[in-house]
Amino acid sequence: REVILLGDLAGLAPEQAVETARQGEGISWRVDYRIQTRTGEERWIANAAIQVRDEGGRIIGSLGILQDITERKRIEKALQESERLYRSAIEVMGAVPYYQNYFTMNYDFIGPGIEVLTGYSVEEFTFERWKSLRKERILIGDLANLDPETAAETARQGEGFSWRADYRIQTKTGEEKWVANAAIQVRDEQGKIVGSLGTLQDITERKHMEDELLKAKKLESVGILAGGIAHDFNNLLTAILGNVSLAKTMLSPEDDVFERLTEAEKASYRAQKLTQQLLTFSKGGAPIKQIENISEIVRETMIFSLRGSNVRCEFDLPEDLWLVDVDKGQFSQVIQNLTINAYQAMPEGGTIEVRGENLTNQKHENKYLPTLPEGNYIKLTIEDHGIGISKDHLQKIFDPYFTTKQMGSGLGLATVYSIVKNHDGLITVQSQLGKGTIFTVYLPASTQKKVISPKQEKTPLLEGQGRILVMDDETMVRDIAGQMLIRIGYRVDFAKDGAEAITMYQEAMDSGDPFHAVILDLTIPGGMGGEEAVMELKRIDANVKAIVSSGYSGDPVMANYQQYGFSGVISKPYKVEELGKAVQKALGINVS
């Protein structure tokens, strides 16, 4: 039914093969036949033979054997099918299969996907080529922690039977990618290692996601520390700003001291911005978003930051740039930090180029946004032509406390990264020494089409009357809050934690001289804080007027205080005017 010529007769036509065998041009041969037996069954038979000659050297016949190889043929077919399925599975996974021969140290086989992965064709891709593409190697598995020479020798000598290495490579077009090389050793019948069978797979996107996750974890750990520092700092500022604002109420605006106190007040607000930078690393730094025109924020912040310098800006910000939902204060901080970085990179002066554009991120179509969901984004590019950043430093510039500046804190770009991340955006950086640096920020576009301008309000000094309970673990905060409340007409009592506040509130109700309102600090280290205390107070008095206070201005309780049972909210630090307004609002007095 089927004939397969092997050995000396392979590749010949059947008639030519028969003639060759008879004439003596072929000494021996092998033919595999697929036959049909008498019962109709199909089998494979191997016919191996040699020529037989007489004393004169004339070919007079052949001597051979017929062997049933049906089972072997079935196994070969199964192996071929398995290999086909294996290659198909590898291709579906996006991996490139290969076999490396350890005798030649080259590839006996490599999949056609190598051209997509590296830019080089199968014919161009050799082991020497592969070595030239590799810029960085991370050994994993059996070879982890070994130096490159030991790892290579271990793999070849058989002390490790499988391995995995991740490589950062530069493709033919100059693009950088990460490639995972996973392989197992191949041995011959004597157990000697003769090669390796493995796959090369593009893991660039996964590496980007791992880097983002690592940065997030670093920021999270720093956030725990920064949040605590900012909380304590805001308590100090509450005492400073409260005393300053209280002193101003006792003076005439024409008084020389009044002007000095006003400057001290401004300095306190500048210090508050520093705490806000620390809070960016913690949950307290959650952005309070509003619809904004990004172009206006960028222009105003950059022009202000470069005032008096030898650096100027060139803006290419289209009028049809989409609006964004951002915390204006936080995003101004992003632009300010990037501007200062660019300015410091050009000590001899120069130009910062600022470009904006609308773009839509669609799956598998936009390689610039691999880690962001599909949707509309604003792309903002800030490019300087300064000294640039070395490759060693480029991977670390967003790490908290990493800096190359003698006077730097290492929080500038870490703050930028955290703010952009908290806005569901992405920031990337490209740089070349001696040529400059490009920071690119992607922010989700707003679904709204119009900016809503907030109303500008003055905060008057509002006097009142009644009894107020102030709960705070800091003596200085209790003292200044009490002094401010007394100054505007209230009677004041104090509690150091939630448990004491509940007891005092109950006693005041029982005595017939209840508290009209209670101010509760949200966070009490080692004690009951405001969130838990207000729930207990609600059980005592369903109509309790509770005001939540905290240095964590972005805490969910502060942002949605009514959902947690509070009647009012005030962020630390605060002035006497702001405290008076918060109390009267909680008491239901119209203060508009």
Side-chain angles (χ1 to χ4, degrees):
R1 303 298 180 185
E2 186 176 347
V3 178
I4 301 176
L5 295 168
L6 305 170
D8 293 337
L9 303 183
L12 300 179
E15 296 79 7
Q16 187 181 2
V18 171
E19 188 61 28
T20 299
R22 287 185 182 146
Q23 296 302 319
E25 297 174 19
I27 305 301
S28 64
W29 66 90
R30 159 80 183 277
V31 183
D32 289 352
Y33 297 96
R34 181 169 61 86
I35 68 169
Q36 188 175 44
T37 67
R38 186 174 186 179
T39 60
E41 180 186 5
E42 286 198 344
R43 304 193 72 81
W44 277 94
I45 303 295
N47 179 8
I50 59 172
Q51 295 166 334
V52 177
R53 299 172 182 266
D54 61 14
E55 293 178 352
R58 186 168 62 92
I59 299 172
I60 57 174
S62 63
L63 179 67
I65 58 172
L66 297 175
Q67 184 180 10
D68 188 336
I69 58 170
T70 306
E71 183 62 17
R72 194 191 76 195
K73 283 287 187 180
R74 185 190 67 77
I75 293 173
E76 285 177 356
K77 184 177 181 181
L79 286 172
Q80 289 172 353
E81 180 64 15
S82 296
E83 182 181 0
R84 186 187 68 79
L85 291 173
Y86 168 73
R87 290 191 182 184
S88 298
I90 292 295
E91 289 173 3
V92 168
M93 291 167 57
V96 180
Y98 71 83
Y99 174 72
Q100 183 183 10
N101 187 322
Y102 281 178
F103 295 106
T104 64
M105 286 311 295
N106 226 322
Y107 299 105
D108 287 356
F109 166 80
I110 192 157
I114 195 66
E115 187 163 2
V116 175
L117 186 64
T118 67
Y120 293 95
S121 67
V122 171
E123 292 74 24
E124 294 175 304
F125 194 82
T126 62
F127 184 60
E128 288 302 315
R129 174 81 70 189
W130 171 240
K131 287 196 296 184
S132 72
L133 299 181
R134 300 178 334 203
K135 305 301 178 185
E136 182 180 349
R137 173 165 55 181
I138 301 173
L139 294 168
I140 301 168
D142 293 339
L143 304 182
N145 303 319
L146 299 179
D147 62 84
E149 291 75 16
T150 305
E153 190 61 27
T154 300
R156 289 185 189 130
Q157 296 303 319
E159 296 174 26
F161 297 98
S162 65
W163 66 92
R164 158 80 185 276
D166 290 350
Y167 295 93
R168 180 171 60 85
I169 69 166
Q170 188 172 40
T171 68
K172 189 176 185 178
T173 60
E175 181 184 0
E176 285 201 344
K177 290 182 179 180
W178 276 95
V179 175
N181 179 11
I184 58 172
Q185 295 167 331
V186 177
R187 299 171 181 269
D188 62 15
E189 294 176 352
Q190 287 74 44
K192 183 180 178 181
I193 296 172
V194 294
S196 61
L197 181 67
T199 60
L200 299 173
Q201 186 168 17
D202 188 339
I203 57 168
T204 308
E205 184 173 336
R206 196 196 75 201
K207 279 288 185 180
H208 286 326
M209 296 182 73
E210 287 175 355
D211 289 344
E212 293 295 308
L213 182 60
L214 181 60
K215 289 188 183 83
K217 286 183 177 179
K218 288 180 180 178
L219 290 174
E220 183 180 357
S221 62
V222 174
I224 297 171
L225 172 63
I229 293 172
H231 175 264
D232 292 344
F233 196 12
N234 270 336
N235 279 337
L236 290 169
L237 282 176
T238 300
I240 295 169
L241 185 59
N243 276 297
V244 169
S245 68
L246 185 59
K248 286 179 67 178
T249 67
M250 303 173 185
L251 297 168
S252 167
E254 287 75 29
D255 197 307
D256 290 342
V257 178
F258 188 91
E259 184 179 350
R260 295 298 91 211
L261 291 174
T262 300
E263 291 302 315
E265 195 173 66
K266 291 178 182 178
S268 297
Y269 278 119
R270 284 197 293 272
Q272 184 186 13
K273 289 182 179 180
L274 178 59
T275 65
Q276 197 61 41
Q277 184 170 338
L278 287 171
L279 281 170
T280 301
F281 296 117
S282 69
K283 293 181 180 178
I288 301 173
K289 299 178 184 178
Q290 292 182 340
I291 305 166
E292 300 286 355
N293 183 326
I294 202 76
S295 299
E296 292 178 4
I297 297 175
V298 171
R299 287 180 189 275
E300 290 174 7
T301 305
M302 296 191 76
I303 291 171
F304 178 81
S305 299
L306 295 173
R307 189 168 293 163
S309 74
N310 57 354
V311 175
R312 66 185 184 89
C313 286
E314 284 186 0
F315 296 101
D316 181 12
L317 300 170
E319 292 184 2
D320 63 347
L321 208 58
W322 290 326
L323 300 177
V324 290
D325 296 311
V326 296
D327 183 315
K328 185 175 182 179
Q330 288 192 9
F331 195 71
S332 294
Q333 193 175 342
V334 168
I335 301 302
Q336 183 180 38
N337 283 333
L338 294 179
T339 304
I340 291 172
N341 265 26
Y343 160 70
Q344 292 176 341
M346 297 187 292
E348 303 300 321
T351 301
I352 303 174
E353 297 176 18
V354 186
R355 299 180 291 275
E357 64 177 287
N358 300 325
L359 66 87
T360 299
N361 184 36
Q362 295 181 347
K363 193 173 184 181
H364 304 312
E365 291 186 17
N366 194 331
K367 66 180 179 181
Y368 299 106
L369 304 178
T371 61
L372 292 178
E374 294 185 8
N376 294 329
Y377 290 85
I378 300 299
K379 178 183 178 183
L380 181 68
T381 305
I382 298 177
E383 179 177 3
D384 68 59
H385 302 280
I387 58 177
I389 305 169
S390 71
K391 285 191 175 181
D392 290 340
H393 291 160
L394 203 59
Q395 304 298 320
K396 304 175 184 177
I397 61 171
F398 294 121
D399 290 356
Y401 304 117
F402 174 80
T403 181
T404 58
K405 304 171 187 174
Q406 290 183 352
M407 301 299 291
S409 66
L411 286 177
L413 289 178
T415 300
V416 166
Y417 177 86
S418 186
I419 290 173
V420 173
K421 195 73 174 176
N422 286 341
H423 281 78
D424 302 316
L426 173 70
I427 181 167
T428 63
V429 60
Q430 298 171 278
S431 189
Q432 281 187 285
L433 284 175
K435 293 188 176 180
T437 302
I438 303 173
F439 283 97
T440 306
V441 177
Y442 301 90
L443 289 176
S446 175
T447 56
Q448 302 297 317
K449 304 298 181 184
K450 185 177 180 182
V451 176
I452 302 172
S453 301
K455 295 180 180 179
Q456 301 295 323
E457 299 180 350
K458 289 184 177 180
T459 306
L461 182 62
L462 301 173
E463 296 187 352
Q465 57 183 357
R467 191 180 181 195
I468 308 294
L469 174 61
V470 176
M471 184 275 280
D472 200 292
D473 62 317
E474 290 285 348
T475 303
M476 59 184 173
V477 175
R478 294 197 301 267
D479 179 65
I480 187 56
Q483 292 296 321
M484 287 192 286
L485 289 168
I486 292 170
R487 175 70 179 82
I488 54 180
Y490 296 99
R491 290 182 294 137
V492 188
D493 289 278
F494 305 100
K496 64 179 180 296
D497 59 28
E500 186 177 6
I502 292 166
T503 300
M504 292 178 66
Y505 196 91
Q506 181 68 69
E507 290 174 351
M509 287 187 67
D510 295 341
S511 70
D513 185 18
F515 290 108
H516 293 84
V518 55
I519 300 173
L520 301 172
D521 187 16
L522 183 60
T523 306
I524 303 292
M528 182 188 293
E531 185 178 354
E532 186 179 351
V534 75
M535 295 173 64
E536 294 298 322
L537 290 173
K538 284 282 188 182
R539 294 188 180 96
I540 298 172
D541 178 9
N543 298 313
V544 62
K545 304 300 182 184
I547 301 168
V548 62
S549 178
S550 177
Y552 294 102
S553 59
D555 190 284
V557 178
M558 298 290 285
N560 306 287
Y561 63 91
Q562 291 173 320
Q563 296 179 14
Y564 292 86
F566 292 98
S567 303
V569 61
I570 186 164
S571 298
K572 299 176 184 177
Y574 46 77
K575 299 188 294 184
V576 61
E577 297 90 348
E578 295 164 342
L579 181 59
K581 182 177 179 180
V583 171
Q584 291 209 9
K585 187 175 180 180
L587 293 173
I589 300 172
N590 190 353
V591 294
S592 60

